Amino acid sequence: MQPLRGYRRPAPGTQPEYLHPPYGSSLKRAPTQALISIPHTLSEITGPIFRKEIIDARACDLTRQGKGAPLGERITVSGRVLDEDGRPVRESLVEIWQANSAGRYLHKIDQHDAPLDPNFNGVGQTFTNDEGRYRFVTIRPGAYPWRNHANAWRPQHIHFSLFGPAFATRLVTQMYFPGDPLLELDPIFKSVPDEAAKNSFISKFDWATTTPEIALGFQFDIILSGRNATPMEEW
Ligand SMILES: [Fe+2]
């Protein structure tokens, strides 16, 4: 039997530390003992396959899911999902969720004193195409307070969830906006030690995908783990 090819582990410094004391929740969540590296098996190098029929045609356009247009600055968010070797991640589910333009989520736990928008639920889904490209139309989210420390405000951000081809490539991350003054005050953004990795969370304003009269364009490419170059010897 052929040995299984696992996926690469993240390079040191490119992922947020589990324990980052300025981010209060990490104190409760971080492992207290050294991690144990477990070899990838079939459970990790395979994953769920989602059929396109599971999502509504309007799921990629968060401005058309209500009875009317949501309030706020309309934007497009698009990019490519690639693996570490530059290969497109094809026909793969990409999901987003975000606050509305006033900085409030449609969720019962969010009691921020800001208005809900009856025409915006803040949830989107789409699939990458054959080139790994995806595109959402949405509203620029507002900043919101989060009580992590005195006068704490999250920078504007959009949450992303990706599966890729296997559970080992699953990624939940956040996209930020260029020039946001809150970035350097945000302990979640600053929890990534590597400067280049940290900056990869910031989308780029993109004139080429800005739609005249309609929406500013932002580009956000996402890199998922690549396969190991040589077969792993262990199961
Ligand atoms: Fe958030």
Side-chain angles (χ1 to χ4, degrees):
M1 185 180 288
Q2 285 274 333
L4 295 179
R5 277 181 77 201
Y7 284 86
R8 285 176 225 160
R9 312 292 170 139
T14 62
Q15 307 297 314
E17 299 290 346
Y18 289 112
L19 179 61
H20 185 67
Y23 175 21
S25 296
S26 76
L27 295 165
K28 300 174 191 162
R29 296 179 187 156
T32 55
Q33 299 183 33
L35 300 184
I36 299 168
S37 184
I38 299 173
H40 286 168
T41 66
L42 268 182
S43 304
E44 288 74 39
I45 66 167
T46 57
I49 295 173
F50 301 101
R51 293 181 302 123
K52 284 188 174 176
E53 301 82 75
I54 65 171
I55 63 171
D56 188 276
R58 293 174 301 171
C60 65
D61 187 343
L62 288 75
T63 68
R64 293 179 186 274
Q65 295 172 356
K67 289 198 173 101
L71 294 174
E73 179 187 343
R74 194 165 39 213
I75 60 172
T76 64
V77 177
S78 58
R80 295 185 80 189
V81 184
L82 304 167
D83 71 14
E84 289 173 297
D85 301 309
R87 283 188 289 254
V89 178
R90 300 187 168 102
E91 310 293 330
S92 193
L93 181 64
V94 181
E95 298 174 289
I96 61 171
W97 64 98
Q98 63 167 95
N100 67 21
S101 62
R104 182 155 175 194
Y105 287 97
L106 180 59
H107 192 284
K108 62 179 185 298
I109 289 178
D110 188 347
Q111 295 299 317
H112 173 205
D113 183 17
L116 289 170
D117 186 333
N119 293 310
F120 191 75
N121 67 21
V123 174
Q125 297 172 309
T126 193
F127 280 85
T128 57
N129 69 9
D130 214 37
E131 296 178 331
R133 297 185 190 280
Y134 73 89
R135 179 177 183 270
F136 290 102
V137 182
T138 187
I139 294 293
R140 186 164 175 146
Y144 59 80
W146 65 304
R147 299 181 180 171
N148 179 76
H149 53 275
N151 206 8
W153 291 78
R154 292 295 334 275
Q156 298 174 342
H157 61 278
I158 296 177
H159 295 266
F160 272 74
S161 164
L162 300 102
F163 282 86
F167 280 114
T169 59
R170 176 129 173 74
L171 178 69
V172 178
T173 190
Q174 300 183 21
M175 181 200 104
Y176 299 96
F177 290 85
D180 191 330
L182 293 173
L183 285 171
E184 286 307 319
L185 300 171
D186 183 55
I188 295 181
F189 176 71
K190 291 176 71 177
S191 67
V192 181
D194 181 90
E195 202 63 23
K198 199 170 70 172
N199 289 330
S200 71
F201 293 113
I202 304 174
S203 59
K204 296 182 176 62
F205 167 69
D206 183 39
W207 194 76
T209 54
T210 291
T211 317
E213 315 284 333
I214 302 292
L216 294 184
F218 289 89
Q219 281 281 315
F220 186 57
D221 293 339
I222 300 165
I223 310 295
L224 301 183
S225 295
R227 297 299 286 267
N228 277 322
T230 52
M232 295 181 69
E233 291 180 356
E234 72 278 89
W235 274 86

